[in-house]
Amino acid sequence: MHASSVTPLLTESSRPIFEWRWVERNADAIGQRLGEHIALTATALGIGLVVSLVLATLCLRYRWFYPLVLGTAGALYVIPSLGAFALLVPFFGLTFTTAVIPLATYTLLILIRNIVTGVQQVPAEVREAAIGMGFTRGRLLWQVELPLALPVVIAGLRVAAVTTIGLVTVTSLLGMGGLGYFIRAGIQTTTPNPSPIIVGVVLSVVLAVVVDLLLWLSERALAPWVRKVRAR
Amino acid sequence: MNVFTQLGEWLSAPNRWSWTDPAGVPYRTVEHLWFSVLSLVVAAVLTIPLALWLAHYRRGAFLASSAVNIGRAIPSFGLIILFWFLASRWGANTDFWPLLLALVGLALPPLFTNTYAGVVQLEQETIDAARGTGYREWQIMLKLELPLASPVIVAGARVAFLQLVATVAIGAIVNDGGGLGRYIVDGFAEGAQGYGEIFGGGLAVIILALLCEGIFALLTRWATPKGVALQAARRD
């Protein structure tokens, strides 16, 4: 990298904090890492959501299962990300799998809790009306209860997504890391280069805000009744 | 070589159980806890009085509700490296300041939001009753709102501390500290040779985090004022 050119120590501090030139020169790499960041986040969230839906469904049917699942998810949530990666690396190596497993695991606690709470707060009359119309248990869940729980589920998904986007940067230790790659690259040159660090941090925050906003918009599109009820 | 053989070798290395040698797990555990506790205390001193005051006068509600979301979006890893860069440019001690500042920054949002929420949710009649019996505003804040909100504040501290313990480990990337994360980062540098060290370090960090969580669970019970606990018990 250009930073490895010999620079006298005294003039080093005159280096600007941020250089647009760096961004222009590395536009392709930035796009590629951004894509990687999104791919890691989406995979982790997707797996987390599917597992959570299965577990939450079981929890709703068998009540004794819920404290057990919540306790396990809570304990897994306590595990520090670096510790989790460290336990997986000897078995899965420096791979996408090693990065995704902990990321997906961290989403379980909030997603399961929000799905179960969301379904539980569906009004009893609605449920009775559906049963009266001949809905089976499965159709009741998928066509009545889960859609009505959608705002709560999406609220959980928003928290999970924002947290995951921040955590992805840590996977740069595994050679993944999406935008975290730049954060790490900034201190691996002979003279530390602030531009990639700033690009990595700022883009990661921007990505989190954009995804949060998109999920919020999708809630308004998928559950328009929430707004109508509030407006009334 | 098998991971578990490597782990066994790592565990039986000389000085592995020393309190004074940097290779020792006890030494690194103390370092890990020292950083986590110090930054939690600094963050608590910075936020709790401010949040208490703001909540008492019902100011800054927006800040309280958005602080946690903003905190979540900022990657802790990026914060550490950014502070490391600034510290090295200004000639500050890079083994201490970058990690401490990043950790304090991470602990602020949950502490602030929970202190604020804990005070705001109190029943207004309680506050009015105290005012009626002649409590000054600062007395209400210190003798009424702070103790009554303490379970919620401790819950915030628990969330913050959990994040701190996880982040100290990440700090090993930039400096000599980093507590138990040191082993993981050093192990990564050795590739497949370091699997035992990576695995051992990972186990140590996880055990420490689970222990801290357990201690905080006890602390939550201890922080609940007797009157509040009694009331809750009667309601059940």
Side-chain angles (χ1 to χ4, degrees):
Chain A
M1 220 175 235
H2 61 101
S4 58
S5 59
V6 185
T7 338
L9 269 174
L10 275 174
T11 55
E12 188 215 321
S13 59
S14 64
R15 183 177 196 159
I17 284 279
F18 190 72
E19 294 169 303
W20 270 111
R21 258 186 328 143
W22 186 90
V23 178
E24 283 160 20
R25 216 181 296 146
N26 292 280
D28 287 347
I30 293 174
Q32 187 204 329
R33 295 290 171 178
L34 185 66
E36 187 182 284
H37 207 117
I38 295 171
L40 272 165
T41 309
T43 314
L45 276 182
I47 295 174
L49 189 62
V50 170
V51 174
S52 300
L53 273 174
V54 172
L55 289 175
T57 313
L58 287 173
C59 288
L60 285 163
R61 183 146 318 172
Y62 310 103
R63 301 306 284 269
W64 57 267
F65 197 49
Y66 188 43
L68 201 73
V69 168
L70 220 52
T72 313
L76 288 172
Y77 186 78
V78 172
I79 293 176
S81 50
L82 197 60
F85 295 133
L87 283 204
L88 293 173
V89 162
F91 302 101
F92 297 99
L94 301 174
T95 56
F96 192 81
T97 317
T98 308
V100 160
I101 294 173
L103 293 176
T105 310
Y106 292 132
T107 65
L108 295 182
L109 180 63
I110 182 129
L111 288 180
I112 294 175
R113 199 197 279 152
N114 279 36
I115 295 171
V116 171
T117 328
V119 169
Q120 275 173 348
Q121 71 177 30
V122 170
E125 306 93 79
V126 175
R127 205 171 282 137
E128 280 156 21
I131 293 170
M133 284 170 70
F135 273 61
T136 58
R137 233 171 161 174
R139 274 188 66 201
L140 177 70
L141 182 70
W142 283 99
Q143 298 184 346
V144 180
E145 291 177 327
L146 278 180
L148 283 174
L150 208 60
V152 187
V153 176
I154 292 185
L157 211 51
R158 285 171 66 183
V159 174
V162 172
T163 315
T164 308
I165 289 170
L167 271 175
V168 165
T169 58
V170 181
T171 61
S172 61
L173 267 182
L174 310 171
M176 305 275 141
L179 297 164
Y181 170 83
F182 296 119
I183 300 177
R184 194 146 179 253
I187 61 163
Q188 283 181 327
T189 48
T190 321
T191 12
N193 186 0
S195 300
I197 306 178
I198 293 171
V199 166
V201 173
V202 170
L203 277 186
S204 171
V205 172
V206 169
L207 183 64
V209 172
V210 168
V211 168
D212 192 43
L213 198 70
L214 285 177
L215 282 170
W216 178 70
L217 286 174
S218 77
E219 186 215 308
R220 285 168 50 120
L222 291 172
W225 63 87
V226 177
R227 221 161 17 119
K228 280 185 192 138
V229 169
R230 267 183 217 143
R232 227 189 294 157
Chain B
M1 207 185 352
N2 186 297
V3 181
F4 296 103
T5 335
Q6 278 181 304
L7 177 66
E9 267 174 33
W10 181 79
L11 285 172
S12 53
N15 282 343
R16 187 61 71 214
W17 301 102
S18 161
W19 289 87
T20 47
D21 191 286
V25 172
Y27 175 90
R28 291 294 179 190
T29 308
V30 171
E31 185 183 67
H32 204 121
L33 283 174
W34 155 244
F35 256 108
S36 318
V37 172
L38 179 68
S39 38
L40 186 72
V41 170
V42 172
V45 169
L46 287 177
T47 43
I48 294 178
L50 180 72
L52 195 62
W53 186 82
L54 284 173
H56 181 78
Y57 292 106
R58 298 288 191 273
R59 280 181 205 158
F62 177 73
L63 183 66
S65 63
S66 53
V68 165
N69 287 330
I70 297 169
R72 238 183 242 127
I74 296 173
S76 46
F77 176 58
L79 214 56
I80 295 172
I81 304 238
L82 209 56
F83 280 129
W84 180 85
F85 170 77
L86 292 176
S88 63
R89 173 168 264 206
W90 292 331
N93 180 0
T94 52
D95 281 346
F96 180 75
W97 289 110
L99 189 54
L100 187 83
L101 289 179
L103 292 174
V104 170
L106 281 178
L108 295 178
L111 280 172
F112 184 84
T113 301
N114 273 45
T115 308
Y116 197 96
V119 171
V120 170
Q121 59 150 32
L122 297 177
E123 283 168 31
Q124 195 56 43
E125 295 93 67
T126 322
I127 314 293
D128 289 339
R131 204 169 277 141
T133 45
Y135 272 56
R136 302 289 179 99
E137 294 304 308
W138 65 268
Q139 285 175 315
I140 294 177
M141 282 186 235
L142 286 183
K143 295 187 176 171
L144 215 71
E145 289 176 331
L146 185 63
L148 284 179
S150 58
V152 187
I153 299 176
V154 172
R158 185 175 175 174
V159 173
F161 198 71
L162 205 68
Q163 230 180 334
L164 293 178
V165 170
T167 312
V168 171
I170 297 172
I173 296 168
V174 289
N175 61 16
D176 178 54
L180 294 164
R182 182 80 268 134
Y183 301 123
I184 303 175
V185 172
D186 287 353
F188 271 124
E190 285 175 43
Q193 294 290 308
Y195 278 2
E197 188 168 14
I198 296 174
F199 198 79
L203 275 181
V205 170
I206 291 172
I207 292 171
L208 182 68
L210 290 172
L211 280 178
C212 290
E213 178 72 359
I215 292 170
F216 256 101
L218 290 177
L219 210 61
T220 312
R221 204 175 301 164
W222 173 76
T224 311
K226 275 203 189 96
V228 176
L230 270 177
Q231 226 178 13
R234 223 172 281 145
R235 234 179 285 142
D236 285 342

